C-alpha cells in the first residue's frame, strides 16, 4: 500500500514518483475520483488501474477490499484531493488497519498545507503542533482555544473561509489581541495570499471580507509568562460549566492549561458561584 501526497494547487508540484505511481497502481483509492482523473490529465499520465472512491463516509467500508487487494499482491495507491493523506483527510484508518494486519505500507512524500503555511508565516517554527480543523460552534471553539493561551509552540490549523472571521474574533478574546499570527490562503495557487500580523489586525481584515479559498492559519507561540492568579480563572471555569461541562472537568481543563493547582481552582470556583 502506498500513500502519496498530491499537489495543493499546481500540478507541476507533483513528484516524478507520484506520476509513476498513478500510472502503475493496480488500485487507486481517491478522496475524489474526478479530481484524481483531472490531476492525471494535467500530468499527462494514463490511469490504468481500478479507481475507487475513498472519502470520509465510505472510508471504513472500503477497508476490507483494499486490504484484500494488498494481500493479493496488488499495488494500492491512496491519495486525497490535495496534500498528504491522513492529515485531516482520509488515510489514517487504512494505514492503521494495514499495519495491524502486518501488510506493507509506504509513503511518497510531497506537498502539505501544514508545513507550507508554517514556513510562509514568518513565525518561529522550530517547534509546532497541528490542530486540524477549528471547531464549528462558539462554545467548543472557545474551549479548544483555551489551552493554546500558554502553548509555546507555533500552532497550525485549518478553517473554512466563511467561519474565519468568527474564529479570529474569538481568538482575540481568548489568546489576546497582540498574539502574532498568519492567515494563508490558496497556497501555491494563482491567488495565493499570506496575511501576517496580530490577531486583532487579522480579525479586522477578515471581518471586512469576503475571504475565499482554502485557509490555513498559523499562530505564533505564546510568550513565557507567570501563571495567572487563581481568581482570574474562575470566570473561565464557570463559562465551561454554563456550556454543559461538569465542574470537576472544567476545573481540570482550565487548571492544566494555566498551570495552576486544580484543588485551589476548584475551591475558588465553589466559593464564587
Amino acid at each position: 500500500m502506498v500513500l502519496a501526497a498530491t499537489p495543493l494547487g499546481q500540478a507541476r508540484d507533483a513528484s516524478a514518483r507520484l506520476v509513476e505511481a498513478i500510472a502503475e497502481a493496480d488500485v487507486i483509492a481517491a478522496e475524489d475520483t474526478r479530481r484524481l482523473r483531472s490531476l492525471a490529465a494535467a500530468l499527462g499520465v494514463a490511469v490504468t488501474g481500478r479507481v475507487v472512491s475513498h472519502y470520509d463516509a465510505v472510508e471504513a467500508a472500503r477497508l476490507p477490499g483494499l486490504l484484500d487487494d494488498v494481500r493479493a499482491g496488488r499495488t494500492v495507491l491512496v491519495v486525497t484531493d490535495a496534500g498528504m493523506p491522513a492529515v485531516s483527510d482520509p488515510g489514517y484508518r487504512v494505514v492503521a488497519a494495514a499495519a495491524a494486519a502486518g501488510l506493507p505500507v509506504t509513503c511518497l512524500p510531497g506537498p502539505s498545507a501544514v508545513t507550507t503555511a508554517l514556513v510562509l508565516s514568518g513565525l518561529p517554527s522550530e517547534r509546532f503542533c497541528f490542530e486540524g480543523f477549528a471547531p464549528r460552534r462558539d462554545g467548543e471553539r472557545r474551549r479548544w482555544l483555551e489551552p493554546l493561551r500558554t502553548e509555546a509552540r507555533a500552532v497550525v490549523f485549518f478553517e473554512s473561509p466563511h467561519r474565519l472571521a468568527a474564529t479570529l474574533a474569538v481568538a482575540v478574546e481568548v489568546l489576546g489581541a497582540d498574539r502574532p499570527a498568519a492567515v494563508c490562503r490558496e497556497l501555491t495557487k494563482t491567488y495565493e495570499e499570506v496575511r501576517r500580523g496580530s490577531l486583532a489586525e487579522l480579525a479586522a481584515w477578515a471581518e471586512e471580507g469576503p475571504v475565499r479559498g482554502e485557509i490555513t492559519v498559523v499562530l505564533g507561540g505564546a510568550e513565557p509568562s507567570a501563571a495567572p492568579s487563581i481568581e482570574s480563572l474562575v470566570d473561565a471555569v464557570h463559562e465551561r460549566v454554563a456550556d454543559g461541562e461538569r465542574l470537576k472537568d472544567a476545573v481540570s481543563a482550565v487548571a492544566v492549561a494555566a498551570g495552576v493547582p486544580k484543588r485551589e481552582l476548584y475551591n475558588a470556583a465553589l466559593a464564587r458561584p
Side-chain angles (χ1 to χ4, degrees):
M1 181 173 293
V2 181
L3 276 76
T6 54
L8 302 179
Q10 297 288 340
R12 290 173 297 171
D13 291 337
S15 69
R17 295 181 67 197
L18 174 62
V19 174
E20 182 179 284
I22 291 174
E24 297 180 356
D26 299 303
V27 181
I28 303 179
E31 184 179 10
D32 186 321
T33 58
R34 293 168 299 180
R35 290 200 181 188
L36 166 69
R37 295 191 184 281
S38 294
L39 174 62
L43 296 175
V45 58
V47 177
T48 58
R50 186 174 85 254
V51 177
V52 298
S53 58
H54 189 246
Y55 52 93
D56 289 334
V58 302
E59 186 178 9
R62 290 281 188 262
L63 280 178
L66 294 177
L67 296 185
D68 286 344
D69 283 323
V70 177
R71 290 190 185 95
R74 302 184 187 95
T75 299
V76 175
L77 177 66
V78 179
V79 295
T80 58
D81 290 348
M84 182 64 72
V87 181
S88 285
D89 272 327
Y92 160 74
R93 291 182 179 85
V94 73
V95 171
L103 299 173
V105 183
T106 190
C107 179
L108 304 185
S112 169
V114 176
T115 50
T116 303
L118 188 67
V119 299
L120 285 177
S121 70
L123 297 167
S125 57
E126 292 83 1
R127 300 171 64 235
F128 73 94
C129 60
F130 174 58
E131 288 287 325
F133 277 92
R136 294 169 178 261
R137 299 185 179 181
D138 184 70
E140 295 174 357
R141 190 186 291 129
R142 290 175 184 275
R143 287 193 291 273
W144 170 72
L145 284 167
E146 187 64 35
L148 303 183
R149 289 194 312 108
T150 56
E151 176 56 70
R153 297 171 294 179
V155 179
V156 185
F157 66 90
F158 297 150
E159 184 54 288
S160 70
H162 66 274
R163 289 196 298 270
L164 178 65
T167 294
L168 291 177
V170 174
V172 169
E173 296 177 21
V174 177
L175 305 179
D178 295 330
R179 184 80 164 256
V183 175
C184 304
R185 186 179 73 85
E186 292 290 88
L187 289 170
T188 79
K189 302 176 186 178
T190 302
Y191 298 105
E192 175 178 285
E193 179 182 19
V194 179
R195 287 270 178 169
R196 306 173 183 89
S198 68
L199 278 176
E201 292 168 338
L202 294 174
W205 163 75
E207 184 63 33
E208 293 174 358
V211 179
R212 297 187 175 90
E214 301 286 335
I215 303 292
T216 306
V217 180
V218 184
L219 301 173
E223 294 291 336
S225 61
S229 69
I230 295 294
E231 189 62 28
S232 69
L233 299 172
V234 172
D235 286 341
V237 171
H238 287 318
E239 186 174 291
R240 297 175 76 108
V241 171
D243 285 334
E245 201 167 345
R246 293 192 311 161
L247 176 61
K248 183 178 180 181
D249 294 335
V251 166
S252 178
V254 174
V256 170
V260 300
K262 295 179 185 179
R263 180 165 293 279
E264 290 184 28
L265 181 56
Y266 185 84
N267 291 335
L270 285 178
R272 204 184 86 192

